[in-house]
């Protein structure tokens, strides 16, 4: 095609976060050729662009990718910039072939191969691993445009720190991990209301002695018990994903929110005279609203036979059975609850790499006959 530059590889990995890098490392380990493309300008930018005070709720002991432990004390909890720097160092250590600043617009077939179009470039591959996550478009309720123009509104994806907000009260909508963390930060300087259903919480608080004692058990459960291979794991998968629900709070307990003076309120039901109205009829006079309402599915760029269940691709341990050679990684319950966590993607990557190795080996041997 005139004006289009074509690149060829065995396996194309779309997305250069922790899932994509772990996937590439496992393919390289098997001697397979691969290429990672990522829409950000720098490895780790997906983490750098999150809010300034973000801290993981898993300690370093559980944050390493295959072949490289997370640096620092095993009992420390890294911040988002430390995660970003670790990913950049990981890519360098394993010489991961990665192209940054590449945004894939369309993934489809071209003859017998996959074709990923990115502007005036096309990447041809025998196998493709999607490591972008299924949810990439910020979700904002329909009532948002009805709020008064002098109310500052931010989605959690655009929130960085309290300096972005106006003086006055803040309504945080969405009581999952992001909403709870942001509400706690904002409560140190202003009045905060937290709206949204209770997603539950882990039994311990981040960094406490009970947390250090319980974490090995919780990690074992998230990795080996709550899996797609066990009845309890499948029930947990269906509970969390169909329809999608927030996972239990990992770093904060409800008593910590109450101690900080955060007022839990009913869900936002509408707008009256430009102000948010709660389901119980309360009208809140706030200066700011932070929407921690998650993300909508965005797999419209994949022009292939991918069946969606509540926005998640239907798969068999990451493999799309309706499209041989297409895989997903980095989503919850690829194999286990831990599949979407930093330290949980390695096992999935090893499994998918083995299947790609088998697939490409059979394709090659068939072509040689």
């Amino acid at each position: 095609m005139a004006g289009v530059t074509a690149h060829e590889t065995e396996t194309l990995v779309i997305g250069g976060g922790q899932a994509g890098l772990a996937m590439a490392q496992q393919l390289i380990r098997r001697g397979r050729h691969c290429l990672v493309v990522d829409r950000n300008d720098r490895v780790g930018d997906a983490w750098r662009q999150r809010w300034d005070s973000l801290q993981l709720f898993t300690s370093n002991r559980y944050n390493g990718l295959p072949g490289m432990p997370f640096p620092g004390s095993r009992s420390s909890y890294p911040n988002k910039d430390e995660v970003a720097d670790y990913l950049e160092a990981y890519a360098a250590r394993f010489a991961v072939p990665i192209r940054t600043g590449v945004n894939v617009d369309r993934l489809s077939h071209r003859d017998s191969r996959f074709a990923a179009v990115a502007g005036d470039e096309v990447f041809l591959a025998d196998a493709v691993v999607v490591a972008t996550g299924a949810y990439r478009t910020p979700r904002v309720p329909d009532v948002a445009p009805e709020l008064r123009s002098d109310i500052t509104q931010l989605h959690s994806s655009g929130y960085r720190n309290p300096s972005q907000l106006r003086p006055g009260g803040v309504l945080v909508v969405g009581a999952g991990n992001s909403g709870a963390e942001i509400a706690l930060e904002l409560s140190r300087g202003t009045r905060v209301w937290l709206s949204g259903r209770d997603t539950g919480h882990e039994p311990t608080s981040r960094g406490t002695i009970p947390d250090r004692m319980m974490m090995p058990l919780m990690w074992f459960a998230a990795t080996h018990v709550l899996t797609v291979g066990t009845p309890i794991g499948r029930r947990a998968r269906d509970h969390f994903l169909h329809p999608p629900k927030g996972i239990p709070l990992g770093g904060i307990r409800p008593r910590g929110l109450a101690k900080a003076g955060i007022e839990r309120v009913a869900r936002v039901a509408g707008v009256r005279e430009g102000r948010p109205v709660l389901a119980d009829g309360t009208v809140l006079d706030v200066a700011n609203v932070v929407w921690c309402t998650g993300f909508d599915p965005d797999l419209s760029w994949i022009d292939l036979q991918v069946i969606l269940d509540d926005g998640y691709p239907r798969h068999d341990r990451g493999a799309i059975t309706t499209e041989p050679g297409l895989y997903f990684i980095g989503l919850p319950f690829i194999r286990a609850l831990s599949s979407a966590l930093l330290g949980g993607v390695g096992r999935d990557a090893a499994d998918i790499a083995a299947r790609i190795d088998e697939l490409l080996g059979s394709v090659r041997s068939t072509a040689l006959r």
Side-chain angles (χ1 to χ4, degrees), residues 1 55-56 153 177 210 316 346 355:
M1 186 180 298
Q55 187 179 28
L56 267 65
Q153 298 187 59
N177 278 286
D316 175 22
R355 284 188 283 170

Side-chain angles (χ1 to χ4, degrees), residues 177-212:
N177 278 286
S178 296
E181 295 272 2
I182 291 172
L184 188 62
E185 176 175 71
L186 294 173
S187 70
R188 300 182 185 116
T190 191
R191 186 177 181 183
V192 176
W193 293 265
L194 180 59
S195 168
R197 64 179 185 82
D198 188 350
T199 62
H201 60 278
E202 293 181 0
T204 59
S205 299
R206 177 174 49 209
T208 62
I209 292 176
D211 183 52
R212 299 186 196 284

Side-chain angles (χ1 to χ4, degrees), residues 196-246:
R197 64 179 185 82
D198 188 350
T199 62
H201 60 278
E202 293 181 0
T204 59
S205 299
R206 177 174 49 209
T208 62
I209 292 176
D211 183 52
R212 299 186 196 284
M213 295 175 62
M214 289 289 295
M215 182 57 70
L217 294 176
M218 292 190 291
W219 186 260
F220 180 85
T223 305
H224 299 289
V225 178
L226 299 178
T227 75
V228 297
T230 65
I232 190 174
R234 290 189 293 272
R235 287 196 297 270
R237 175 197 60 191
D238 293 342
H239 171 76
F240 288 125
L241 302 186
H242 305 301
K245 302 177 181 69

Side-chain angles (χ1 to χ4, degrees), residues 30 79 82 120 141 147 149 189 271 275 286 299 321 333 341-342 345 348 368:
R30 288 177 168 273
N79 61 42
E82 290 171 326
D120 59 359
L147 293 176
S149 60
V271 174
R275 294 181 175 85
V286 296
L299 294 179
T321 56
F333 288 100
L341 301 179
L342 190 62
V345 298
D348 297 340
L368 291 175

